[in-house]
Amino acid sequence: MSGMASDHNSSQEEYIPHYLQKEDPFASKLSREADIIAGFYLTIIGILSTLGNGYVIFMSSKRKKKLRPAEIMTVNLAVCDLGISVVGKPFSIISFFSHRWMFGWIGCRWYGWAGFFFGCGSLITMTAVSLDRYLKICHLSYGTWLKRHHAFICLAIIWAYATFWATVPFAGAGNYAPEPFGTSCTLDWWLAQASVAGQAFVLSILFFCLLFPTAVIVFSYVKIILKVKSSTKEVAHYDTRIQNSHILEMKLTKVAMLICAGFLIAWIPYAVVSVWSAFGRPDSVPIQFSVIPTLLAKSAAMYNPIIYQVIDCKFACCRSGGLKAKSSLKKSR
C-alpha cells in the first residue's frame, strides 16, 4: 500500500501542466482558419448578447419601481451576461483573430476571474430565482411575504458569493491558467493532477459553484412541476385577484425554467470536459475537442434576453396592453 501511495505521489510530482511545458502556453494550438471561425462566432455572440441584455436592462430601468422580485433577479442575470460580453469577450475575440493570447499572464488571470465571477453570479442568480418560484408556486400563503427588499438583500448575497469564489484562487488556493488551445483562459483545473490541495480546490469549486446550485434548481422545478398538477383546484378556492397573480407567477416560472435549462445545456459540456481534465488521465482531452464546449458555454449570455423578452415581455404586453388596445379601438371608431 505504501508503495502504491509513493508511486501515486511521485506521478503527481512528475505531472507538468500544459502551460508550464516548453511550448508557448499562449500560442494557439488550432489552425489559423479555426481561430478565424471562432473569432467571428464570438463576435456575433458578443454583439447579440450586448444588444439583447442591454435592451433588457434599459427596458427594465423604465419601470424599475414596478419590478417584481423575480423580475429584479432576471435583470441581475442580464447584468451578469452583459458583464461577460463586455468585459470578457473582447479579450478572446482579439486573441482568436491574432492566433494567440495577446494579454499575457495578467490579462489571463483577469479574464479568468471575470468569466468565473459573472458565470458564478449567473448560476447563483438562477438558483435564487428557482427558490423564489418554488415558494410562490408551492407555498402560496408563504410566498406572499417575499417583497422587493428581500430581492435586493438576495442580490447582495449573490454578488458576495460570486466575489468570494472568484477571488479564492488569488489567495493561493488555486489559480487561473490558459486553456490547452491557448487563446482563452479559465480556472486552473489541472491543479488536481498535481497535488491533493489542488484536488480539494477543484472539488470545492465544483460543489459550491456547480453541483449544489444545480441540485437546488432541479429540486425547485421538479417540485413545481408536481405541484402544478394539483394547483388548479387549490387556487380555485382563492379570489380572482390571487388567481390572476398565480397565472402571472406561472408565466414567470416558465421563463425562469427555460433560462435555467438553456444555461445548464450550454455549461454542462464545458463542466464535463473540465472535470475530465482535472481527474482523468493527464492531457487525455484532445485540444480540438476542448474548444467546442468552451465556445458553447460562451453562447449562454446570448439567448437569455431572447427568452426573457419574447416570452415574458410578450405576455406582459398582452396583459397590460389589452385594455389600451380596446380603448384605442374605440377612439379610432
Side-chain angles (χ1 to χ4, degrees):
M1 292 293 290
S2 60
M4 292 176 62
S6 62
D7 291 342
H8 178 69
N9 292 333
S10 62
S11 64
Q12 284 187 334
E13 292 175 359
E14 292 172 0
Y15 174 73
I16 301 177
H18 62 276
Y19 54 85
L20 293 179
Q21 296 175 6
K22 293 181 179 180
E23 296 181 357
D24 182 359
F26 298 128
S28 176
K29 309 304 186 296
L30 305 174
S31 66
R32 187 171 293 276
E33 293 76 14
D35 276 337
I36 292 175
I37 293 173
F40 277 115
Y41 169 81
L42 289 180
T43 300
I44 295 172
I45 294 292
I47 293 173
L48 293 178
S49 176
T50 301
L51 294 177
N53 288 292
Y55 179 74
V56 170
I57 296 171
F58 172 73
M59 293 301 294
S60 299
S61 66
K62 296 176 66 175
R63 48 186 294 268
K64 56 185 177 182
K65 294 183 179 180
K66 297 181 180 180
L67 292 176
R68 303 164 69 88
E71 293 174 314
I72 293 173
M73 292 296 175
T74 307
V75 173
N76 190 62
L77 182 61
V79 171
C80 292
D81 291 340
L82 184 64
I84 292 175
S85 302
V86 173
V87 176
K89 282 189 174 61
F91 286 81
S92 54
I93 290 172
I94 293 172
S95 297
F96 273 115
F97 281 127
S98 301
H99 198 49
R100 65 173 288 110
W101 179 259
M102 298 295 294
F103 306 98
W105 277 103
I106 295 177
C108 181
R109 292 188 175 100
W110 160 251
Y111 177 85
W113 181 91
F116 184 57
F117 172 72
F118 288 114
C120 182
S122 295
L123 183 57
I124 303 304
T125 299
M126 286 185 285
T127 305
V129 170
S130 69
L131 286 174
D132 175 75
R133 299 296 86 210
Y134 168 71
L135 291 175
K136 289 289 180 67
I137 302 301
C138 298
H139 302 279
L140 293 177
S141 59
Y142 181 73
T144 54
W145 73 271
L146 291 170
K147 305 300 181 183
R148 283 169 55 92
H149 67 275
H150 295 115
F152 290 114
I153 294 173
C154 189
L155 290 184
I157 296 173
I158 290 170
W159 287 108
Y161 192 93
T163 301
F164 173 78
W165 285 107
T167 309
V168 161
F170 293 134
N175 201 358
Y176 294 99
E179 300 267 17
F181 52 86
T183 48
S184 181
C185 294
T186 184
L187 278 168
D188 192 347
W189 303 104
W190 302 272
L191 284 174
Q193 298 281 356
S195 65
V196 175
Q199 293 176 0
F201 163 72
V202 171
L203 287 174
S204 299
I205 291 291
L206 287 174
F207 179 79
F208 289 104
C209 301
L210 179 63
L211 297 180
F212 178 69
T214 302
V216 173
I217 291 171
V218 172
F219 167 82
S220 299
Y221 289 125
V222 167
K223 296 292 287 186
I224 288 171
I225 292 171
L226 295 176
K227 183 68 175 179
V228 164
K229 295 181 179 180
S230 59
S231 64
T232 304
K233 295 181 181 179
E234 182 177 342
V235 176
H237 297 292
Y238 294 90
D239 59 31
T240 304
R241 182 181 62 82
I242 296 180
Q243 292 181 22
N244 292 336
S245 177
H246 184 69
I247 293 173
L248 177 58
E249 297 296 346
M250 288 304 303
K251 292 291 184 181
L252 292 173
T253 300
K254 292 177 182 179
V255 174
M257 290 178 68
L258 286 173
I259 289 175
C260 289
F263 184 91
L264 293 176
I265 289 172
W267 279 96
I268 283 178
Y270 179 77
V272 170
V273 171
S274 299
V275 171
W276 184 260
S277 299
F279 298 102
R281 188 165 54 84
D283 304 324
S284 59
V285 179
I287 292 177
Q288 291 76 10
F289 178 76
S290 66
V291 71
I292 297 175
T294 302
L295 295 178
L296 178 63
K298 294 180 186 299
S299 69
M302 176 185 67
Y303 47 76
N304 285 345
I306 298 175
I307 295 172
Y308 180 69
Q309 289 299 126
V310 172
I311 298 178
D312 185 41
C313 290
K314 181 179 180 181
F315 169 76
C317 289
C318 292
R319 184 171 175 272
S320 62
L323 294 176
K324 293 180 180 179
K326 291 181 181 179
S327 61
S328 63
L329 182 60
K330 290 180 180 179
K331 290 180 180 179
S332 63
R333 286 178 179 175

